[in-house]
Amino acid sequence: MRRVFTIGRLGILAATLLAPLVSNTVFASEEEPIQLDSVVVSAQKFRTDKQDVPSNISVVDSKTMQDSGVDNLEGLSALAPNIGISKIDTYSTQVVFRGIGGMANMNKVWNINMDGVAIPYVGLDTFLDVDRVEFLRGSQGALYGRNTHAGAVNIVTKDPGSSANGNVTLNYESFNTLKARAAVGSPINDVASYRMAVAYKRSDGYFHNEYYDKNDTNNNEQFTARGKVLLQADDKSKLTLGMYADKYESAFDSYGPANGDVTLNTENNRRGHNDGYLLSPTLTWEKDFGAVNVTSISNYSRSNYNYLQDWDFSRFDIMYSTYDEDFNTLSQELRFNGGSDEFKWMFGLFGLWERIDTKTNILFGDDAAASGMSPGDHAQQNSTVNSYIGSSFGQIVYRLFPSIELTGAVRFDYERKTLDWKNKTNLDYVPTGKLDMSKDWLALSPSASIAWLFAEKQRVYGSIARGFKSGDFNNVMVEVPLVEHAVDPEYTTTYEVGYKGRLLENRLELNAALFYIDWDNMQVDIESTEGMFNPYQKMNAGRAHSSGMELEARALIMPGWEVFASLGYMFQYEFDEFRKDATTDLSGKKLPFTNAYTVGLGTVFRTESGFYAGVDSSISGRKYLVEDNSLKQNAYMLLNAKIGYEKDNWDVYLYGRNLLDERYATTAFSGAKRAGEPLVVGVQCGYTF
């Protein structure tokens, strides 16, 4: 039975966490003033204080991730307002920013960047040896280009360090879950240094298959490795070679029976699989020529994602599918920047070649008659999509007056895509064929903002920005009529006003924002009379908008005691135009995978004697799991806690996630829901040097 939280629970938690801040008692020592550390980000493609960026950015650093025990995007989203997560399987994660981004995609839409590169890989949210994660909300096309119309996630990994350092961490959790991590960094000589990190995870998974009466039918295993070699002869030049490798294997048995409640029980007769790998080297060169700084980022990525999924979600052998995709990408970015505190400028060039090979197979089993088909019926597609992208972009930051700062940016993108597609089937009434297509698109993405620095470390700002999602072919479909028409890019325009400030002698950081987003030329599914297996065709036939507000605060009560809180609320988030078929008009329906509100509260407390305690809670408001709003997830609350002892170089913790054991859905597919993580308890020990 789903547990229902009360406002009383939240009030008690809030009072516990925030009372010390508003009381008349001052915990800080008069001899030693305390203040929050500044947070440096690279959201504007150069390093700057988070509070100086004219947009609302949430940042989670490595210390916060360690304290909270977060090691994936799903966990991090609870710490950032108006960020939603659609967890499709054990590894695939779709991010929804302020209501934008929750629609079904054709090929993957990558808006996750690692060390300045958008890497096409579904398992990228394994936060191994990460320095910080930045959530950029709203249209980001001016600096980041395609597929950032909703927002972007920047992951920045750790550098080697100026002296030998390292850590080892071992966790054991519920569901026979083992996690092991290790990292080491050190100078090699006066010029070179290195850092290496490895991680291993295995788990039985938290689902129980009633057909097999087993608890490990969604078991998974993952191995991740990362390395960096840094060459730096002086302060003006740096060359970094990074390597990221990952491989995972998982069963695919995580959806409960169709049209049922959210459950940890499945009935699938086919356990399925969900596997992937990545190899991605990156070469970064940074050079200070005095008046001009140059940054070059070169990357090659090879990744694979494949699965077998039971499509009828039952103990009967009716229908299942397999899918396989290979990504090969080669990208080059070259940036020039310079100026002074009063006038900063940047100009950049970007090029990308991307090849996607996909194979879809839809098959019918021994019980196919239940769906009007025959055993052995099947349909398949094989396709290759090549993309060629050339871009130029620039930005200026101009201090017009001591208290007025103007920022302007613009990006021009040219993209050409080619498609080589063919299908085959044993069904006489499904036409087969080959398609050889090409398409070109142009996109202009400007942004502008003005900020008023009305007091020391306080500012208000207003901004407008445009972003786009790339045009595409519907190549993953198995029927000719659903593939032979491309869709054009879709666009968003984000309007935002906000406040950023540090108060109480830098003990309190407070950020607030209001936003409105127009979403035009949406790529949506429209019913097609020519489709058999999935009778919907992608078309640019939708419009939507969203609006809302965000609040974030963090406060340092005393050395070792920090409190943080966030609130996101969506005023509106709905389709303005979307006629699904001749009789179904979805105008006015809520955008899927968008929480009506999000609330986060937490605190961490540690003493010089070594005692550590942390607790955080998040409330996710109601969200709809499908476009017609026929399936929904009601509001739920997740409560996490951690207690431990930290002494010298050793630490040990006992922790729990989802302590209220809430049942909630992360996504839905054909009426079947996938449950989120239930109550988990674990123990962690670590060594740092």
Side-chain angles (χ1 to χ4, degrees):
M1 179 180 296
R2 187 180 67 85
R3 287 174 163 79
V4 180
F5 71 87
T6 65
I7 297 298
R9 282 189 195 174
L10 179 60
I12 293 172
L13 182 62
T16 301
L17 300 183
L18 300 178
L21 182 63
V22 299
S23 69
N24 291 326
T25 303
V26 178
F27 292 91
S29 167
E30 294 183 1
E31 291 79 14
E32 185 182 350
I34 60 172
Q35 60 183 11
L36 291 165
D37 293 332
S38 296
V39 178
V40 176
V41 298
S42 53
Q44 292 183 294
K45 294 199 179 262
F46 55 80
R47 290 172 59 85
T48 185
D49 192 300
K50 175 176 72 76
Q51 296 301 97
D52 295 337
V53 179
S55 63
N56 193 15
I57 299 175
S58 296
V59 181
V60 184
D61 61 17
S62 60
K63 182 173 177 292
T64 302
M65 283 187 273
Q66 164 70 17
D67 289 345
S68 63
V70 169
D71 60 4
N72 57 42
L73 276 176
E74 188 177 11
L76 277 188
S77 67
L79 305 176
N82 288 333
I83 300 291
I85 294 295
S86 172
K87 195 75 172 179
I88 300 169
D89 54 44
T90 306
Y91 298 97
S92 299
T93 302
Q94 184 170 321
V95 188
V96 181
F97 303 81
R98 296 172 168 176
I100 312 300
M103 303 295 289
N105 298 315
M106 291 168 291
N107 294 315
K108 298 291 187 298
V109 174
W110 305 106
N111 52 14
I112 299 178
N113 302 289
M114 181 168 289
D115 291 334
V117 178
I119 297 178
Y121 185 56
V122 299
L124 200 61
D125 69 342
T126 300
F127 295 141
L128 171 63
D129 208 34
V130 165
D131 180 70
R132 66 183 183 276
V133 178
E134 306 169 3
F135 290 94
L136 285 60
R137 300 176 183 81
S139 310
Q140 303 294 328
L143 293 182
Y144 291 92
R146 66 171 189 162
N147 300 337
T148 57
H149 65 309
V153 179
N154 282 341
I155 300 173
V156 181
T157 63
K158 292 183 178 179
D159 282 334
S162 58
S163 60
N165 64 95
N167 60 80
V168 179
T169 304
L170 185 66
N171 297 59
Y172 186 77
E173 300 177 355
S174 306
F175 310 108
N176 194 29
T177 300
L178 175 68
K179 301 177 182 179
R181 294 182 174 219
V184 60
S186 176
I188 300 173
N189 52 40
D190 292 340
V191 175
S193 58
Y194 76 94
R195 187 168 185 88
M196 296 181 63
V198 294
Y200 173 78
K201 176 185 176 182
R202 65 159 175 81
S203 176
D204 288 344
Y206 50 81
F207 293 96
H208 173 77
N209 187 296
E210 295 182 337
Y211 179 81
Y212 291 104
D213 192 24
K214 289 187 175 181
N215 293 320
D216 63 351
T217 55
N218 200 62
N219 62 323
N220 51 84
E221 185 177 44
Q222 184 174 20
F223 178 80
T224 310
R226 184 192 310 284
K228 274 187 179 182
V229 175
L230 189 153
L231 302 177
Q232 188 169 12
D234 52 47
D235 294 337
K236 295 185 178 297
S237 181
K238 183 167 70 172
L239 185 68
T240 304
L241 175 62
M243 177 66 75
Y244 184 39
D246 186 83
K247 188 177 189 301
Y248 69 83
E249 295 180 354
S250 174
F252 198 167
D253 183 23
S254 55
Y255 285 81
N259 303 313
D261 294 330
V262 180
T263 176
L264 300 180
N265 298 319
T266 68
E267 297 180 353
N268 300 311
N269 66 295
R270 293 184 182 272
R271 294 176 54 173
H273 67 260
N274 172 19
D275 305 328
Y277 67 81
L278 167 74
L279 184 66
S280 181
T282 301
L283 181 66
T284 303
W285 176 59
E286 301 168 81
K287 177 67 175 180
D288 182 0
F289 287 98
V292 178
N293 295 310
V294 178
T295 301
S296 170
I297 305 176
S298 309
N299 173 264
Y300 170 73
S301 292
R302 170 73 186 271
S303 65
N304 175 267
Y305 169 61
N306 67 88
Y307 66 74
L308 184 154
Q309 182 183 12
D310 190 327
W311 267 16
D312 56 79
F313 311 108
S314 72
R315 58 185 65 236
F316 300 104
D317 189 22
I318 300 174
M319 183 181 184
Y320 64 100
S321 73
T322 65
Y323 178 73
D324 188 286
E325 69 178 21
D326 265 308
F327 268 84
N328 283 272
T329 65
L330 182 64
S331 67
Q332 173 64 52
E333 181 165 303
L334 185 63
R335 298 198 305 265
F336 307 86
N337 67 279
S340 62
D341 291 340
E342 289 73 31
F343 181 83
K344 299 177 183 177
W345 61 269
M346 179 181 65
F347 173 75
L349 298 170
F350 175 79
L352 171 74
W353 167 76
E354 177 181 80
R355 173 175 170 141
I356 311 171
D357 297 290
T358 66
K359 181 178 181 179
T360 307
N361 209 352
I362 300 175
L363 307 103
F364 293 85
D366 294 338
D367 301 314
S371 63
M373 306 297 288
S374 300
D377 285 348
H378 67 274
Q380 176 184 302
Q381 71 82 18
N382 289 272
S383 67
T384 297
V385 177
N386 280 286
S387 299
Y388 308 89
I389 297 175
S391 310
S392 60
F393 58 92
Q395 177 178 248
I396 59 171
V397 180
Y398 178 47
R399 187 67 62 87
L400 181 62
F401 302 110
S403 61
I404 301 294
E405 186 173 87
L406 304 177
T407 302
V410 65
R411 185 182 184 108
F412 177 79
D413 288 275
Y414 167 77
E415 180 170 8
R416 176 178 174 81
K417 283 190 175 182
T418 64
L419 170 66
D420 180 11
W421 180 95
K422 62 182 178 180
N423 73 331
K424 63 180 181 179
T425 177
N426 69 333
L427 301 172
D428 295 336
Y429 50 85
V430 176
T432 60
K434 295 183 179 181
L435 296 173
D436 186 4
M437 303 167 59
S438 64
K439 186 75 173 178
D440 300 79
W441 293 282
L442 299 174
L444 185 66
S445 305
S447 70
S449 68
I450 181 171
W452 177 32
L453 290 64
F454 64 91
E456 184 180 4
K457 298 182 180 178
Q458 296 189 71
R459 66 173 61 201
V460 293
Y461 65 88
S463 65
I464 179 173
R466 190 159 173 81
F468 74 99
K469 174 184 171 184
S470 180
D472 212 346
F473 299 108
N474 204 7
N475 58 293
V476 299
M477 295 298 179
V478 298
E479 298 170 81
V480 174
L482 304 182
V483 182
E484 59 186 358
H485 300 288
V487 293
D488 291 326
E490 62 181 31
Y491 298 89
T492 61
T493 303
T494 299
Y495 306 86
E496 181 176 326
V497 294
Y499 163 82
K500 292 187 170 186
R502 290 199 180 99
L503 308 169
L504 302 180
E505 298 180 341
N506 284 341
R507 291 173 53 203
L508 172 65
E509 182 179 283
L510 182 63
N511 296 332
L514 295 169
F515 63 87
Y516 181 91
I517 304 175
D518 272 323
W519 193 357
D520 298 319
N521 216 37
M522 292 176 65
Q523 301 167 3
V524 295
D525 290 318
I526 303 296
E527 185 180 45
S528 170
T529 58
E530 302 177 89
M532 282 291 300
F533 297 103
N534 186 356
Y536 289 94
Q537 181 178 356
K538 279 287 184 191
M539 298 178 65
N540 297 100
R543 291 185 66 249
H545 73 277
S546 70
S547 61
M549 56 84 68
E550 291 146 0
L551 293 172
E552 289 186 277
R554 63 186 184 116
L556 191 59
I557 308 302
M558 59 183 294
W561 188 356
E562 187 170 332
V563 175
F564 54 89
S566 67
L567 170 65
Y569 186 82
M570 300 294 296
F571 301 142
Q572 292 181 317
Y573 52 107
E574 62 188 40
F575 295 108
D576 298 319
E577 296 178 11
F578 185 5
R579 185 170 289 278
K580 187 93 171 173
D581 53 47
T583 60
T584 306
D585 187 354
L586 300 185
S587 301
K589 296 292 186 181
K590 300 294 186 183
L591 294 172
F593 300 108
T594 302
N595 296 106
Y597 59 88
T598 58
V599 181
L601 289 170
T603 186
V604 295
F605 179 76
R606 47 174 41 96
T607 67
E608 292 185 359
S609 63
F611 174 77
Y612 169 86
V615 60
D616 65 84
S617 177
S618 64
I619 298 176
S620 299
R622 180 194 63 198
K623 68 178 176 182
Y624 293 98
L625 305 175
V626 287
E627 296 163 353
D628 65 6
N629 296 177
S630 59
L631 292 178
K632 70 177 179 180
Q633 168 61 57
N634 290 320
Y636 61 92
M637 177 177 179
L638 299 181
L639 179 65
N640 311 312
K642 185 176 181 180
I643 188 170
Y645 182 72
E646 305 168 336
K647 194 62 176 177
D648 298 328
N649 296 354
W650 294 91
D651 51 62
V652 61
Y653 308 95
L654 177 67
Y655 58 90
R657 298 191 298 271
N658 191 6
L659 293 174
L660 304 178
D661 200 20
E662 291 275 13
R663 293 288 180 270
Y664 62 98
T666 65
T667 193
F669 178 74
S670 297
K673 300 175 182 177
R674 183 185 185 277
E677 185 181 67
L679 169 66
V680 169
V681 295
V683 62
Q684 172 183 317
C685 58
Y687 175 73
T688 303
F689 64 89

